[in-house]
Amino acid sequence: MTYAAVPALRARPELAEVYEPLLTSRSYDFGLRVPTEKRGIIAGMSMTEKQGGSDVRANTTRAVPAGEPGLYALTGHKWFTSAPMSDVFLTLAQAPGGLSCFLVPRVLPDGTRNAIRLQRLKDKLGNRSNASSEIEYEGALGRLVGEEGRGVATIIRMVNMTRLDCAVSSASGMRLGLVQAVHHATHRSAFGARLVDQPLMRNVLADLAVEAEAATLAALRLAGAVDRAARGDAEEEQVRRLGLAVTKYWVCKRAPAHAAEALECLGGNGYVEDSGLPRLYRESPLPSIWEGSGNVAALDVLRAMARQPQAVEAYFAEVDWGAGADRRLDAAVAGLRKELAGLGDPDAAAYGARRLVERLALVFQGSLLVRHGHPAVADAFCASRLDGDRGLAFGTLPAGVDTASIIERSGPEAAV
């Protein structure tokens, strides 16, 4: 959230000039002090209210002008404020001109504490080291970021960056679980043989590896798109727009199942906290919920396709780079084009949005793998994710897949 605040603050250049060097500083300067007097600061986000949830336009927190231009007093309740230990918060509130974005400091320029009342910390399933809280603004002072009534358009710049974090963190969690599963299977023997040499375990491990590598390639491709879009590349902006919404949905949705399967590879040891896998398992559902749960992400894809047809064109231009490399990928791309051409009734499209977004994500990953992945991984992915009827559980790779090559490049000693 700290670095994701930067693009949002750029909607108000005078604020960005002051706070961007502090947000990008490599010095962590803890303590309850005036933000501009510190060597570096961290940022949180204060958006969600209990009556609206993801529908932030239903927010009721009010912001009224507080004398000098650009300064407002905020009053209202926030059901989720992320990282309440932060120095500044980007928050949404209803100003006279509509829902707007504000930069709210924890400590005011005169050294007094801003009127932000911490009510309680959330007792969360996981992610406990990154606190979430309920707070009350009681006339808390904040600076307008962007224009009045443009709060969603302003803060979405931050959300887009944190959605990328969701995809990257889910992919890295898969990699962590995979490494531990492969290491355990390599050094554990049962029934007279190492686990890694037993056919069914090889199927499971290879399948976990395929999922992790596909997620990693998609996340890194989109990280590159975000960087290039920030430098003014219009084509990459369109790849980012649709590709990130699709990948955020699918990779984050796959992470909990991946963590559960990796944990199971260790048997009872995996269920013990000492292994670290229970924590990974608890963390894994969060990215799917954060910055828009599965339905929100899927419907965002439909919205992007309807409002920005150029994003669909950029998506197919991207996946077409893999044309001819694998017949199963080519067939999946053709089927996807036909499906999109047949989209009609909005309600019917919304009902089937998850299936459509899943296919968009799988084709995107498949194209990246045939171009940049290990041949055995690309083959296994196309065989198991794109070709006809496929098993939904890990460990259901079809016969003929080169599981040995996949597993050999997936352990803790391998460089992927």
Side-chain angles (χ1 to χ4, degrees), residues 62-67 71-75 94-96 102 141:
R62 312 302 300 181
V64 298
L71 186 66
Y72 291 71
L74 280 64
T75 302
Q94 299 286 356
F102 299 90
L141 297 177

Side-chain angles (χ1 to χ4, degrees), residues 11 35 40-41 61 130 187 189 251-253 270 278 286 292 298 353 358 361 379 412:
I41 62 174
T61 297
N130 179 38
H187 297 282
S189 294
V251 170
C252 297
K253 187 66 66 180
L286 176 61
E358 176 182 329
D379 174 64

Side-chain angles (χ1 to χ4, degrees), residues 221-405:
R221 173 65 184 92
L222 291 167
V226 167
D227 283 347
R228 287 183 281 275
R231 294 195 292 267
D233 190 321
E235 184 72 13
E236 287 291 275
E237 169 58 25
Q238 297 307 323
V239 171
R240 182 212 63 79
R241 176 64 184 96
L242 189 58
L244 184 54
V246 164
T247 299
K248 195 274 181 189
Y249 167 81
W250 181 241
V251 170
C252 297
K253 187 66 66 180
R254 294 291 282 167
H258 193 280
E261 198 66 57
L263 183 154
E264 188 176 321
C265 288
L266 275 68
N269 290 326
Y271 204 69
V272 175
E273 292 288 347
D274 291 349
S275 72
L277 288 173
R279 182 179 183 184
L280 177 64
Y281 183 65
R282 289 192 299 270
E283 292 288 318
S284 61
L286 176 61
S288 185
I289 297 169
W290 205 0
E291 306 305 6
S293 58
N295 284 358
V296 173
L299 294 174
D300 184 46
V301 172
L302 295 185
R303 188 180 308 110
M305 292 192 299
R307 296 181 180 178
Q308 297 173 251
Q310 64 272 30
V312 180
E313 296 172 8
Y315 169 87
F316 280 108
E318 172 68 23
V319 299
D320 282 345
W321 283 108
D326 189 287
R327 61 170 179 77
R328 297 159 297 193
L329 174 62
D330 291 343
V333 173
L336 191 55
R337 288 184 186 275
K338 183 177 180 180
E339 184 175 358
L340 291 183
L343 282 180
D345 178 60
D347 288 339
Y351 182 83
R354 285 189 173 214
R355 289 181 61 85
L356 173 62
V357 175
E358 176 182 329
R359 283 190 284 274
L360 285 164
L362 291 173
V363 167
F364 185 67
Q365 290 179 329
S367 177
L368 289 169
L369 281 168
V370 300
R371 287 180 281 152
H372 307 296
H374 189 281
V377 177
D379 174 64
F381 184 92
C382 292
S384 59
R385 273 72 168 173
L386 299 179
D387 191 24
D389 187 23
R390 59 188 186 275
L392 298 178
F394 287 109
T396 56
L397 292 174
V401 167
D402 186 0
T403 56
S405 293

Side-chain angles (χ1 to χ4, degrees), residues 171-260:
S172 61
M174 290 183 191
R175 173 66 183 163
L176 176 59
L178 170 66
V179 165
Q180 292 198 231
V182 171
H183 181 269
H184 176 81
T186 301
H187 297 282
R188 175 74 167 176
S189 294
F191 308 109
R194 293 188 309 162
L195 289 180
V196 74
D197 294 327
Q198 300 190 24
L200 186 53
M201 179 57 81
R202 296 187 73 81
N203 197 322
V204 172
L205 293 173
D207 212 355
L208 291 172
V210 167
E211 193 74 29
E213 185 154 343
T216 299
L217 274 177
L220 293 179
R221 173 65 184 92
L222 291 167
V226 167
D227 283 347
R228 287 183 281 275
R231 294 195 292 267
D233 190 321
E235 184 72 13
E236 287 291 275
E237 169 58 25
Q238 297 307 323
V239 171
R240 182 212 63 79
R241 176 64 184 96
L242 189 58
L244 184 54
V246 164
T247 299
K248 195 274 181 189
Y249 167 81
W250 181 241
V251 170
C252 297
K253 187 66 66 180
R254 294 291 282 167
H258 193 280

